[in-house]
Amino acid sequence: MVSASHEALHWVFQKDPALLTRAFQKVLRVPFPEPRDFAVLNTDVTEIEPVERRVDTLMRVETDEGAYLLVVEAQGKKDDDKRASWPYYLSYLYAKYRCEPVLVVITQSSATARWAAEPIRRGLPGWDSLTVRPLVIGPDNVPVIANEREAERDVPLAVLSAMTHGRGVKAAAILEPLAFALRTVDGESAAVFGQLIESCLGDPEARDLWRELMSEIRYFFNNPVAEKVREEGREEGRAEDRSEITLQILEWRGILVSSAVRERVLACTDLEQLKIWSQRAIQVARAEDLFSG
């Protein structure tokens, strides 16, 4: 049965097709022509014979240098049957579309990434009739984006970072900066990205933290102060929004907020300090503990 994380890993490229070509440049360090247009194609590669074959995501990319087919396969573990099918996929798709196919494998496992990256050779020893060289995106080459400003500059790439590292020890460090960066996209995209990330988180504590952060995001998109931030980009608006979110987290958790704590939080204009307080709000037992340390 196909898992939610499997679907999320390749579906993110359908949500933002341009992310795949940026991944070529920023993650794989493979030159790729600047795309002019994308089209998501039917993933069925079954012939008349009653053997069903289906790729995960298939996109046609138009560039000034010609058209390419990007075949995206999400891989959770080693599977020799799947590996044996990849040369067929590429040959069939080239024959059908007369377009150069490019195979991209995305995984959350370093061991699976190394396995998938091995060339697939068919033919005589020393004389290959066919060689397939998959491009692999995984935790060993996707950067850990744990900085708010960096996440804001390329939100889909930061989402990809959270997804590929979602089962590792680095996942938690990515989540809080990414949650803040999601406020720079539209509400619908933020919700979709949020669901994709949650499905890729393996640690229950990281998943619980992400759900808390997503509650902040949902509040953000229904808050007129936050809307002002999005429209005007004012620094003081961002501070006010962060203050409101910090207090809201405490209230959601049923923690009493005194007038003194409320006044101090609302009076603060230091974004870095407010960031620390909002992080503490998820864990503290008393509102006054926000200011400890």
Side-chain angles (χ1 to χ4, degrees), residues 44-113:
D44 194 337
V45 291
T46 305
E47 294 185 277
I48 296 175
E49 296 296 324
V51 178
E52 184 178 3
R53 297 182 175 91
R54 193 176 299 274
V55 300
D56 288 333
T57 286
L58 177 63
M59 291 187 291
R60 180 186 177 102
V61 183
E62 300 287 346
T63 76
D64 290 335
E65 299 178 18
Y68 295 87
L69 294 176
L70 301 183
V71 184
V72 184
E73 288 280 277
Q75 198 66 35
K77 60 183 180 180
K78 299 178 183 179
D79 183 345
D80 289 336
D81 288 340
K82 173 61 74 170
R83 185 176 169 84
S85 68
W86 289 339
Y88 166 79
Y89 290 170
L90 301 183
S91 299
Y92 173 84
L93 290 170
Y94 178 78
K96 180 177 181 179
Y97 292 102
R98 294 298 174 182
C99 241
E100 296 295 341
V102 180
L103 174 62
V104 181
V105 179
I106 180 167
T107 181
Q108 294 180 293
S109 165
S110 295
T112 302

Side-chain angles (χ1 to χ4, degrees), residues 20-286:
L20 191 53
T21 55
R22 294 203 302 281
F24 275 90
Q25 300 161 0
K26 296 183 178 182
V27 175
L28 299 170
R29 308 296 180 186
V30 173
F32 194 88
E34 195 65 28
R36 288 188 284 104
D37 190 29
F38 290 92
V40 178
L41 304 179
N42 189 329
T43 59
D44 194 337
V45 291
T46 305
E47 294 185 277
I48 296 175
E49 296 296 324
V51 178
E52 184 178 3
R53 297 182 175 91
R54 193 176 299 274
V55 300
D56 288 333
T57 286
L58 177 63
M59 291 187 291
R60 180 186 177 102
V61 183
E62 300 287 346
T63 76
D64 290 335
E65 299 178 18
Y68 295 87
L69 294 176
L70 301 183
V71 184
V72 184
E73 288 280 277
Q75 198 66 35
K77 60 183 180 180
K78 299 178 183 179
D79 183 345
D80 289 336
D81 288 340
K82 173 61 74 170
R83 185 176 169 84
S85 68
W86 289 339
Y88 166 79
Y89 290 170
L90 301 183
S91 299
Y92 173 84
L93 290 170
Y94 178 78
K96 180 177 181 179
Y97 292 102
R98 294 298 174 182
C99 241
E100 296 295 341
V102 180
L103 174 62
V104 181
V105 179
I106 180 167
T107 181
Q108 294 180 293
S109 165
S110 295
T112 302
R114 290 190 293 272
W115 164 83
E118 295 175 3
I120 303 169
R121 305 185 189 281
R122 297 288 180 264
L124 294 172
W127 190 271
D128 302 330
S129 299
L130 173 67
T131 302
V132 175
R133 298 174 60 198
L135 291 167
V136 181
I137 297 173
D140 292 337
N141 58 5
V142 175
V144 175
I145 300 179
N147 176 277
E148 285 182 6
R149 294 293 176 265
E150 189 177 356
E152 286 179 357
R153 281 196 293 272
D154 194 335
V155 172
L157 185 62
V159 170
L160 183 64
S161 176
M163 293 169 67
T164 50
H165 292 282
R167 296 189 179 276
V169 296
K170 300 176 181 178
I174 302 172
L175 299 182
E176 207 277 341
L178 176 54
F180 197 79
L182 284 180
R183 294 166 173 79
T184 64
V185 302
D186 63 276
E188 181 181 353
S189 294
V192 171
F193 285 143
Q195 292 174 354
L196 294 175
I197 293 166
E198 182 175 336
S199 68
C200 290
L201 295 175
D203 180 23
E205 292 186 5
R207 196 178 300 118
D208 289 343
L209 171 61
W210 184 245
R211 287 169 180 166
E212 292 277 0
L213 293 169
M214 284 303 296
S215 295
E216 289 187 45
I217 293 171
R218 284 190 290 271
Y219 169 76
F220 176 86
F221 283 103
N222 291 285
N223 184 347
V225 175
E227 186 63 26
K228 179 179 67 174
V229 176
R230 292 173 56 77
E231 292 177 354
E232 302 176 7
R234 295 171 53 193
E235 195 74 4
E236 61 268 31
R238 295 181 65 185
E240 186 176 355
D241 175 61
R242 176 69 78 167
S243 301
E244 292 282 359
I245 288 172
T246 300
L247 297 172
Q248 188 70 44
I249 292 173
L250 294 172
E251 292 173 4
W252 280 332
R253 296 184 58 217
I255 295 176
L256 180 65
V257 179
S258 67
S259 58
V261 170
R262 183 178 298 277
E263 289 174 7
R264 180 172 177 181
V265 172
L266 292 176
C268 182
T269 58
D270 185 339
L271 281 173
E272 289 302 314
Q273 182 62 70
L274 288 168
K275 175 183 174 182
I276 293 171
W277 288 348
S278 67
Q279 291 171 332
R280 289 178 182 167
I282 297 172
Q283 299 176 332
V284 295
R286 302 181 311 126

